[in-house]
Amino acid sequence: MQASETSKTRELSGTAAVGGPPYRAPREEFPILSRPVNGRPLVWLDTAATAQKPRRVLDAMRSFSETRYANVHRGVHTLGYAATQAYEEARLRVAQFIGASGADEVIFVRGATEAINLVAASFGRSFISSGDEIIVTELEHHSNIVPWQLLRESTGAVLKVAPIADDGTLDLVQLEAMLGSRTRLVAVTHVSNVLGTVLPIATIARMAHAVGAHLLVDGCQAVPHRFVDVQAIGADFYAFSAHKMYGPTGIGVLWGRRELLAAMPPYQGGGEMIASVTFEQTTLKHPPHRFEAGTPPIIEANGLAAACDYLTDLGLARICGHEAALRAYALEGLATVPGLRVIGAGGNHEDGRAGIISFTMDGVHPHDVATVLDGSGIAIRAGHHCAQPLMQRLSVPATARVSFGLYNTTEDVDALVAGLGEVGEVFG
Ligand code: PMP
């Protein structure tokens, strides 16, 4: 690294606003980042799809597997107790991480997709009937659209879509006008996985609650990148996936308000979620175990808890500041690439954006952009990002997307901008 680049990174990452020493992207804690790809150092700019794993998370899962592994809530043997204790401690650490009022409000699921499906199947089928309304936004990922369409089909509920402005921000005036006495649920993303737009969740919560509706928030792209307190923002349900927050695949979280969870029927039946079973009758356990049928992701829960601790120790305000600075630096660089158009950015809202940028290049398909960059070891995502309705709204078939994580540096952005210059040369 050259001296000038070092100082640029320092300047960019200055954390004066949040205190503490200057932020230094901890690349060396992520073993995969030291492997070359196609003969070049790996530049991982696809954290919104999934985040790479720090040693601390990998070690937590290995150490648990090597010393305390057993099934949970079953065995009366020593390891059974040890594993159950670790699993329930992991739940408590997650609860503290998101500001839940207790560990019993944290349900371990497979990921955000399952969390939202759980709410649709359980809360939806119990409390949403024909003619009742569910409101989503044009920004949503398919996993916050399709479960509501399935619910619509089974109940006759009405699905409404709150529009966005051209700069990718939610139109709050129109949202408020759509809310009414039939609105049962507002289901919105916290941060757009395509544009990085950050939604004003506390305001949306107030609007939803004013008409007696509940608020579900898809927090996949928020939890790893900014401090989230589920109670302070006024959510009723909050869903996220561990793999996007530097934790393992196969586990995610549904947080729900205690009184709502207590009123909800199970989503799946099986072992673990029952107090007693006869062929005539089954008595259910209380939440969260009521919603965790079968052997849960035990090893992964330990990895998720380690990821929460890792993010807490690094400091989410500092991570957020670092990624916002990287976004601003990248926008400057991207502006120098001929024919490149950033999608849905700009306006007065740029300051609040998360570290996700979508763009197109004249005459080059986004898949070709990604393929040429891959040749230089640079990983970005191209496609519709599981947000086809948003692509239609933005009048693009697909975009190229870069997304930053806590390990990215200005050098990664410089490599991206140089790589995009090569894309321009390859495609004339
Ligand atoms: N919502 C958003 C905003 C996402 O970015 C994603 C993952 N791309 C999901 C939901 C779904 O997450 P998962 O596939 O981990 O269930």
Side-chain angles (χ1 to χ4, degrees), residues 48-49 111-114 141 143 189 191 193 218 220-221 241 243-244:
T113 302
E114 187 175 36
H141 187 279
S143 61
T189 192
V191 173
N193 66 314
D218 170 357
C220 267
Q221 303 294 346
S241 296
H243 71 94
K244 293 185 196 282

Side-chain angles (χ1 to χ4, degrees), residues 89-130:
E89 269 173 25
R91 195 192 302 279
L92 182 61
R93 280 148 79 194
V94 172
Q96 287 163 346
F97 179 69
I98 58 169
S101 75
D104 57 325
E105 294 187 328
V106 170
I107 301 163
F108 287 135
V109 288
R110 236 171 0 109
T113 302
E114 187 175 36
I116 298 169
N117 276 278
L118 192 166
V119 176
S122 172
F123 176 86
R125 293 217 188 117
S126 303
F127 299 109
I128 299 180
S129 352
S130 180

Side-chain angles (χ1 to χ4, degrees), residues 12 16 19 21 69 94 135 151 159 163 192 205-206 223 256 287 292 409 414:
L12 175 71
Y69 182 69
V94 172
I135 301 181
L151 183 67
L159 184 59
S192 161
R206 276 195 295 279
V223 164
E292 294 180 3
T409 61
D414 294 342

